[in-house]
Amino acid sequence: MNIREFKEIIFKEAEKRGITDFELFYQSNKSFKVNVFQGEIEKYYNNSSGGVSFKAIVKGKTGYAYSERLD
């Protein structure tokens, strides 16, 4: 599932439950690093990280949820 599909599901569910004040925040980071010594790859790193958070106000109270996985 990608973030656009996830957003549509969350927004529809919030509206269905009558939640009007909410926000969805998504962040994704990717990095790649290679160390080469005398023409040979010594080591490499391939990292990705990120997550999604949902915040809502319901009956004057704030709720918050966070996850690193969309599946």
Side-chain angles (χ1 to χ4, degrees):
M1 174 181 319
N2 66 40
I3 187 61
R4 286 188 174 98
E5 294 168 334
F6 185 77
K7 178 193 79 117
E8 290 301 319
I9 292 169
I10 294 298
F11 281 22
K12 284 180 185 175
E13 190 64 31
E15 290 170 3
K16 184 171 93 176
R17 294 173 182 264
I19 302 170
T20 57
D21 299 318
F22 61 90
E23 70 179 12
L24 186 69
F25 178 78
Y26 174 72
Q27 181 178 353
S28 177
N29 300 308
K30 293 182 180 182
S31 64
F32 180 76
K33 180 180 176 182
V34 176
N35 292 345
V36 177
F37 181 71
Q38 295 182 344
E40 297 288 326
I41 295 176
E42 193 172 52
K43 53 183 151 177
Y44 69 93
Y45 306 93
N46 188 11
N47 297 315
S48 64
S49 64
V52 63
S53 66
F54 179 78
K55 185 168 127 179
I57 300 173
V58 179
K59 296 180 183 176
K61 296 184 179 183
T62 302
Y64 177 83
Y66 176 83
S67 179
E68 294 178 350
R69 299 186 64 171
L70 296 180
D71 56 348

